[in-house]
């Protein structure tokens, strides 16, 4: 099934990439709709967007932490040089900030106390964080040459004393350390955001929205209406991709009266800029499909190995294990995964929860719950899957959050159950179910064969509230 998905994804991307001009934009909407509506790709899209959300959260958290350090440093500076505190400077009456006001501590306080982070410009190198602006202001204050005492002239009423300057020099060292932290974090974030398919996906979705936004009824109240219009303008300029000429692109897409030159310039430039972004999203989707296919391939190959070549040994092993059958068979699966290059850990404690197997070194957090039965056990198997569901859902939001869960059931005897062949969608994760039949031949041949018992998806999925 996943092979078909890869082929379909490849065909959709190849067709989209071959389009030019307005045809590219129209096909782009169809491509986005395709990956959003296919349930298998939609689950991977959620993973991609969750990765982007985590990236921006780390970025904002670091900026907030650095901001707090800079606020504390500013407080120390004001203690040492109270006459340089211009925190009470009023903003310009006309609302236009001058360079002089931009470097005041009043402006510093306004930026530090602003409750919202600025939207991320996805495809630019600029740094619009609060901490960068605060660093500029504080550096201008601490390093102000007009305030430093001179070796060749007498001090004035505006210069610092040598004792003051000595203490401020210590603050300058702290400032340099914070500047280095900020520069390192910014460069690291630039590398991450420019290669983040999730951020690019969000930017593409925002761009498509901006080109044809759903209408919002304007308020009858004049002030609210002005606020709506202002918010709409801000959305065009502050979010998503830095795509110049959005209005020209819209006119080219939906207005026949647009001149040929304007249409060609706006469309050609934007299509050439967009194609590498869409390709990165496509490649990430393909990688994730391939990773899922590789994991499924490993579990399927283990299933075939057990049933075709190792059935007798495993059955005898389970028979001799007495009360530790599941642990013994899980150890066999762990050994198989280790031989394939993974690093499974058996029954670890993860956020107070305990899976049978997990691989903490795996990027997408591999999770396996193993069960066995040798007698009628339908309720037991259904309960076991509910146990997996509760455990995996309980890991959400932790460093051990799971993207792929496997429910592996060893049949040592008893009725033959049939589990759903398709993947089951969890709460931001996907579950794959496999039964590995190692029962003796007499229970599988014509004499021992009985009608299999189907356990449906509805029976396995938790009840909706």
């Amino acid at each position: 099934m996943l092979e078909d998905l890869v082929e379909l994804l490849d065909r959709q991307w190849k067709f989209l990439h071959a389009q030019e001009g307005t045809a590219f934009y129209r096909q782009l909407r169809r491509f986005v709709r395709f990956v959003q509506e296919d349930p298998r790709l939609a689950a991977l899209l959620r993973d991609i967007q969750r990765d982007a959300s985590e990236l921006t959260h780390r970025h904002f958290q670091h900026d907030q932490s650095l901001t707090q350090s800079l606020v504390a440093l500013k407080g120390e500076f004001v203690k040492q040089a109270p006459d340089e505190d211009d925190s009470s400077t009023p903003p310009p009456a006309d609302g236009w900030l001058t360079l002089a006001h931009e470097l005041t501590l009043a402006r510093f306080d306004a930026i530090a106390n602003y409750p919202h982070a600025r939207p991320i410009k996805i495809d630019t190198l600029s740094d619009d964080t609060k901490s960068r602006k605060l660093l500029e202001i504080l550096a201008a204050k601490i390093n102000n040459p007009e305030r430093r005492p001179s070796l060749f002239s007498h001090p004035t009423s505006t210069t610092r004393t040598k004792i003051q300057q000595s203490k401020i020099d210590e603050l300058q060292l702290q400032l340099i350390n914070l500047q280095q932290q900020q520069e390192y974090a910014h460069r690291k974030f630039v590398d991450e955001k420019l290669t983040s398919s999730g951020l690019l996906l969000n930017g593409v979705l925002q761009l498509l929205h901006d080109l044809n936004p759903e209408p919002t009824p304007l308020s009858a109240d004049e002030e609210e209406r002005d606020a709506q219009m202002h918010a709409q303008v801000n959305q065009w300029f502050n979010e998503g991709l830095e795509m110049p000429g959005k209005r020209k692109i819209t006119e080219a897409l939906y207005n026949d009266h647009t001149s040929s030159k304007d249409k060609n310039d706006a469309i050609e430039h934007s299509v050439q800029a967009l194609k590498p972004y869409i390709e990165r999203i496509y490649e990430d989707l393909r990688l994730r499909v391939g990773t899922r296919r590789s994991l499924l391939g490993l579990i399927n190959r283990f299933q075939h190995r057990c049933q075709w070549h190792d059935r007798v040994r495993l059955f005898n092993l389970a028979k001799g294990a007495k009360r530790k059958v599941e642990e013994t068979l899980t150890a066999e699966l762990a050994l198989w995964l280790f031989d394939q290059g993974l690093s499974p850990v058996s029954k670890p404690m993860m956020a107070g929860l305990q899976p049978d197997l997990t691989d903490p070194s795996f990027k997408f957090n591999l999770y396996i719950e193993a069960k066995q039965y040798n007698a009628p056990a339908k309720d037991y198997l259904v309960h076991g899957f509910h146990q997996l569901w509760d455990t995996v859902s309980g890991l959400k939001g932790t460093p051990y959050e799971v993207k792929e869960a496997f429910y592996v059931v060893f049949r040592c005897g008893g009725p033959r159950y049939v589990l759903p062949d398709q993947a089951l969608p969890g709460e931001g994760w996907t579950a794959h179910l496999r039964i590995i039949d190692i029962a003796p031949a007499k229970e599988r041949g014509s004499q021992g064969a009985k009608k299999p018992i189907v356990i449906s998806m509805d029976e396995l999925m938790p009840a909706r509230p």
Side-chain angles (χ1 to χ4, degrees):
M1 291 178 66
L2 289 180
E3 287 78 4
D4 295 340
L5 181 61
V6 170
E7 181 182 356
L8 185 58
L9 179 61
D10 288 348
R11 286 167 52 194
Q12 290 288 327
W13 160 246
K14 183 178 180 181
F15 185 71
L16 171 64
H17 192 264
Q19 305 304 308
E20 297 293 343
T22 56
F24 176 84
Y25 275 96
R26 304 195 200 286
Q27 188 61 35
L28 176 58
R29 288 191 184 277
R30 296 181 66 88
F31 179 81
V32 169
R33 190 160 59 246
F34 158 67
V35 296
Q36 287 178 326
E37 293 179 354
D38 185 288
R40 298 162 296 179
L41 291 176
L44 298 179
L45 279 185
R46 289 192 294 270
D47 291 345
I48 288 173
Q49 290 179 304
R50 184 163 50 244
D51 289 347
S53 178
E54 292 171 358
L55 171 60
T56 55
H57 178 71
R58 290 195 304 271
H59 174 64
F60 290 141
Q61 286 289 100
H62 181 271
D63 185 43
Q64 188 59 31
S65 175
L66 206 55
T67 294
Q68 292 173 358
S69 298
L70 288 165
V71 168
L73 188 61
K74 173 245 181 184
E76 289 297 319
F77 171 73
V78 169
K79 284 182 183 179
Q80 299 301 329
D83 57 322
E84 298 183 45
D85 183 5
D86 51 6
S87 300
S88 59
T89 303
D94 58 6
W96 293 95
L97 296 179
T98 63
L99 180 60
H101 188 272
E102 282 278 11
L103 297 178
T104 63
L105 293 183
R107 181 63 179 159
F108 181 102
D109 292 340
I111 295 172
N113 295 326
Y114 188 70
H116 305 296
R118 289 180 60 83
I120 292 175
K121 301 286 189 180
I122 298 172
D123 52 346
T124 67
L125 303 181
S126 61
D127 182 358
D128 291 327
T129 57
K130 291 201 292 186
S131 55
R132 183 196 66 82
K133 297 179 186 301
L134 299 182
L135 277 165
E136 288 180 355
I137 297 171
L138 209 50
K141 285 292 184 184
I142 289 177
N143 300 324
N144 187 348
E146 296 179 1
R147 293 283 187 167
R148 300 179 69 89
S150 172
L151 298 176
F152 306 105
S153 61
H154 295 289
T156 67
S157 59
T158 61
T159 57
R160 301 164 186 157
T161 66
K162 291 184 178 180
I163 296 177
Q164 266 185 318
Q165 188 61 49
S166 176
K167 293 182 177 179
I168 290 176
D169 285 344
E170 295 176 8
L171 299 181
Q172 186 179 27
L173 290 177
Q174 296 180 44
L175 181 68
I176 292 173
N177 289 334
L178 293 176
Q179 284 176 322
Q180 291 176 341
Q181 291 179 35
Q182 198 273 340
E183 288 176 2
Y184 170 78
H186 171 65
R187 291 168 182 169
K188 181 179 179 182
F189 180 65
V190 166
D191 289 339
E192 290 177 328
K193 76 171 183 176
L194 292 180
T195 54
S196 167
S197 59
L199 285 178
L200 292 174
L201 173 63
N202 292 341
V204 169
L205 293 176
Q206 184 64 51
L207 173 63
L208 292 177
H209 171 271
D210 290 347
L211 294 178
N212 188 26
E214 292 186 13
T216 302
L218 292 176
S219 172
D221 181 82
E222 185 175 355
E223 289 187 7
E224 290 185 7
R225 187 166 61 250
D226 288 345
Q228 285 178 315
M229 299 297 289
H230 182 69
Q232 189 175 42
V233 171
N234 280 345
Q235 190 178 56
W236 273 66
F237 289 100
N238 290 335
E239 294 184 7
L241 298 167
E242 287 287 307
M243 196 63 60
K246 281 184 183 178
R247 191 168 297 280
K248 288 184 179 180
I249 296 171
T250 302
E251 291 174 355
L253 285 168
Y254 305 112
N255 187 350
D256 286 337
H257 300 295
T258 305
S259 71
S260 177
K261 185 178 186 309
D262 287 344
K263 178 189 295 186
N264 289 340
D265 289 348
I267 291 291
E268 182 179 352
H269 179 274
S270 62
V271 168
Q272 294 309 312
L274 270 176
K275 281 188 176 181
Y277 304 149
I278 310 300
E279 184 171 12
R280 183 169 292 282
I281 297 168
Y282 155 74
E283 289 292 351
D284 197 354
L285 276 173
R286 208 177 189 287
L287 170 65
R288 290 170 190 256
V289 172
T291 301
R292 177 173 290 181
R293 184 171 57 178
S294 298
L295 285 173
L296 281 172
L298 286 180
I299 299 298
N300 290 341
R301 190 164 179 80
F302 177 73
Q303 179 187 33
H304 297 156
R305 173 183 177 272
C306 293
Q307 295 179 167
W308 293 355
H309 306 293
D310 210 13
R311 181 189 298 269
V312 174
R313 183 185 71 85
L314 288 175
F315 177 78
N316 291 333
L317 196 65
K319 187 177 179 181
K322 297 182 179 180
R323 295 184 179 181
K324 294 187 176 181
V325 178
E326 283 183 1
E327 289 88 340
T328 301
L329 294 174
T330 299
E332 289 289 317
L333 176 54
L335 180 61
W336 166 262
L337 294 174
F338 180 82
D339 288 343
Q340 307 310 310
L342 290 132
S343 302
V345 179
S346 182
K347 290 197 176 295
M349 290 303 297
M350 298 165 59
L353 304 168
Q354 192 175 51
D356 289 324
L357 275 179
T358 188
D359 183 358
S361 69
F362 190 67
K363 178 181 178 181
F364 301 108
N365 279 349
L366 171 64
Y367 180 104
I368 298 176
E369 187 76 28
K371 299 294 180 186
Q372 70 83 32
Y373 71 93
N374 57 11
K378 181 176 179 179
D379 290 344
Y380 174 70
L381 297 182
V382 171
H383 176 75
F385 184 76
H386 291 170
Q387 176 186 335
L388 174 145
W389 188 287
D390 289 343
T391 304
V392 173
S393 296
L395 295 172
K396 192 172 183 178
T398 74
Y400 310 106
E401 183 169 348
V402 170
K403 306 292 180 66
E404 301 287 334
F406 290 84
Y407 187 51
V408 179
V409 177
F410 292 90
R411 178 190 178 229
C412 299
R416 187 166 72 86
Y417 294 105
V418 178
L419 298 177
D421 185 52
Q422 71 269 40
L424 303 187
E427 299 169 309
W429 49 274
T430 303
H432 308 275
L433 296 78
R434 292 292 182 272
I435 286 186
I436 300 176
D437 191 349
I438 58 172
K442 64 181 181 179
E443 295 194 26
R444 295 179 290 107
S446 59
Q447 295 181 351
K450 295 182 180 180
K451 184 177 180 179
I453 300 172
V454 175
I455 302 179
S456 69
M457 182 187 301
D458 290 339
E459 292 175 283
L460 290 166
M461 299 292 281
R464 295 185 180 275

